[in-house]
Amino acid sequence: MLPVQLIRKKRDGGALDDAELRAFIGWVTDNAIPDYQVAAMLMAIFFRGLDERELATWADAMTRSGDVIDLSHIARKKVDKHSTGGVGDKISIPLAPAVAACGVAVPMVSGRGLGHTGGTLDKLESIPGFKVNLPVETFKRLTDELGVCLIGQTERIAPADKRLYALRDVTATVESLPLIASSIMSKKLAEGIDGLVLDCKVGKGAFMKSIERARELCALMRAIGQRAGKTITCVLTDMDAPIGRTIGNALEIRESIEVLRGGGPTDTRELTHVLGAEMLVLGGVAKDAVEGRAKIEKVLTDGSALEVFRKVVAAQGGDPRVCDSPGSVLPKPAHRDELTLPPGRIVAIDSEALGIAALVLGAGRRTKDDVIDPSAGLVIDAYLGEVIAHDAPPQVMLHHSLSPQDGRLAEARAMITNAFVMQPADDQPAPPVRSSRILEVIR
């Protein structure tokens, strides 16, 4: 069979048989076909989808394109968390060490930024020296010794997905539910986990714009996981506003450390508590979410989670002083520019626009070959329902290394200003503001 035959078959709405699916993933893994043919198949799947059998086979082929890690020697339950991507979503960084501090192992294989959303690996690499490309044997050892290890896809972990993941970002196929589900699960099933908590973002700043679409993704994920004998819990979370106060890699590490010290913005803490609680339930160290949340809150308050993170940073080659003095360790931008919003009440925030603005400043990638500026990003002090007075101090700080004449700076400033929908403060009663990020938990 030829790649073009399979691309044409899927493009025309046909179902690929198991041999064809495994052959295509084999070509992807072996670099036996060029990027443009892989991209063509991704676009065909984007429009035509994969049925339940196709999806199961596609995901299994991706998982088996590399090694499936055996963590059976680790006595603790192995539970991971994955987010479908959000603006300011730094939750994995405080969450993983907190869960490990509670007695559940977290073997976490993460990805890089996709589109307007950041990636855990990019954030971690803003810590000087931090290595995310570790051998599988080191990954296994650190997961056993420390209870957590955070790495990227090595050549031996779902290598087919590594190539597909990079191409999805630059071919406008990121939002495909079968591609999202198979990408996530191929990495997770290769990790040797017992269970998974999926943080599925919903709203303007998410790939899933509606709760119905988020539930559809969760159903696909759970179906793939159940076929593999894994327990999956899905938490649907609100992404109609950025998470926390920071967008950008080093900035989000700084905020994560605030959470690990028992502080940080309310919503960043809430997501860490709730997702951590569900992980502890799957890990068998909490009888329910209430007990799990109490345990997570305790290790964040007493310093246990921070101490785990310190050990992880040191073990993965990073500078552990970041836990004590992030401002002196993390990279600094060449420029910090202020932006003041027009007066009025904030009635909506376009999180996606803010994510793109941070990308334009250098915090993300427009193409897969772009180099990220780890210091770039936004610090935001403006929230839904808040009233901005005429004489208020600036609400947004832009961190970047662009020259004042660079057109990207003006582009980013315009995006940020337009991302905030304002109305006169005395025009009408303030719209209701959601007090929690949690929309639904599917167990």
Side-chain angles (χ1 to χ4, degrees), residues 348-380:
I349 301 175
D350 187 340
S351 300
E352 183 173 355
L354 292 177
I356 295 173
L359 180 154
V360 169
L361 292 175
R365 299 178 183 85
R366 282 182 159 173
T367 73
K368 67 175 184 176
D369 297 320
D370 281 353
V371 176
I372 282 180
D373 175 2
S375 70
L378 306 174
V379 179
I380 301 170

Side-chain angles (χ1 to χ4, degrees), residues 71-236:
L71 298 179
S72 59
H73 65 287
I74 299 177
R76 288 179 283 184
K77 288 281 189 180
K78 282 73 68 177
V79 181
D80 195 5
K81 164 263 180 188
H82 187 89
S83 168
T84 56
V87 178
D89 184 6
K90 70 280 294 178
I91 304 303
S92 290
I93 295 160
L95 175 67
V99 171
C102 293
V104 175
V106 185
M108 186 172 282
V109 177
S110 298
R112 299 197 177 275
L114 276 176
H116 65 279
T117 66
T120 298
L121 300 184
D122 300 319
K123 302 181 206 305
L124 289 170
E125 285 184 333
S126 71
I127 301 172
F130 197 102
K131 296 179 178 62
V132 298
N133 298 317
L134 299 178
V136 170
E137 291 306 315
T138 303
F139 175 69
K140 293 166 66 173
R141 177 177 59 80
L142 293 180
T143 301
D144 189 14
E145 293 177 359
L146 304 179
V148 58
C149 186
L150 303 106
I151 65 169
Q153 293 155 269
T154 70
E155 296 302 320
R156 294 168 59 188
I157 299 176
D161 179 67
K162 188 174 184 180
R163 187 177 179 196
L164 294 176
Y165 194 94
L167 285 171
R168 283 168 57 210
D169 192 19
V170 294
T171 56
T173 55
V174 169
E175 298 90 342
S176 166
L177 294 188
L179 294 178
I180 293 172
S182 58
S183 174
I184 294 169
M185 292 307 295
S186 66
K187 293 190 291 285
K188 300 310 171 186
L189 295 178
E191 290 174 353
I193 57 171
D194 300 306
L196 174 70
V197 173
L198 173 66
D199 176 8
C200 187
K201 296 289 192 296
V202 184
K204 293 179 181 177
F207 295 120
M208 263 53 67
K209 305 300 183 185
S210 69
I211 198 166
E212 292 77 19
R213 187 166 168 82
R215 289 174 181 145
E216 185 181 349
L217 174 63
C218 290
L220 294 177
M221 294 275 296
R222 287 166 64 82
I224 294 171
Q226 287 165 1
R227 282 175 177 262
K230 312 300 180 184
T231 306
I232 313 292
T233 295
C234 297
V235 181
L236 308 188

Side-chain angles (χ1 to χ4, degrees), residues 261-313:
R261 290 173 172 170
T266 301
D267 56 349
T268 313
R269 290 201 313 271
E270 179 197 30
L271 287 169
T272 305
H273 297 162
V274 171
L275 294 168
E278 297 297 334
M279 292 176 73
L280 296 189
V281 172
L282 292 185
V285 301
K287 66 178 183 296
D288 55 30
V290 174
E291 181 183 350
R293 181 163 183 162
K295 289 188 174 187
I296 293 292
E297 291 176 355
K298 180 178 183 298
V299 298
L300 290 173
T301 302
D302 67 15
S304 303
L306 181 62
E307 187 57 30
V308 171
F309 185 64
R310 188 192 310 277
K311 291 177 180 178
V312 169
V313 172

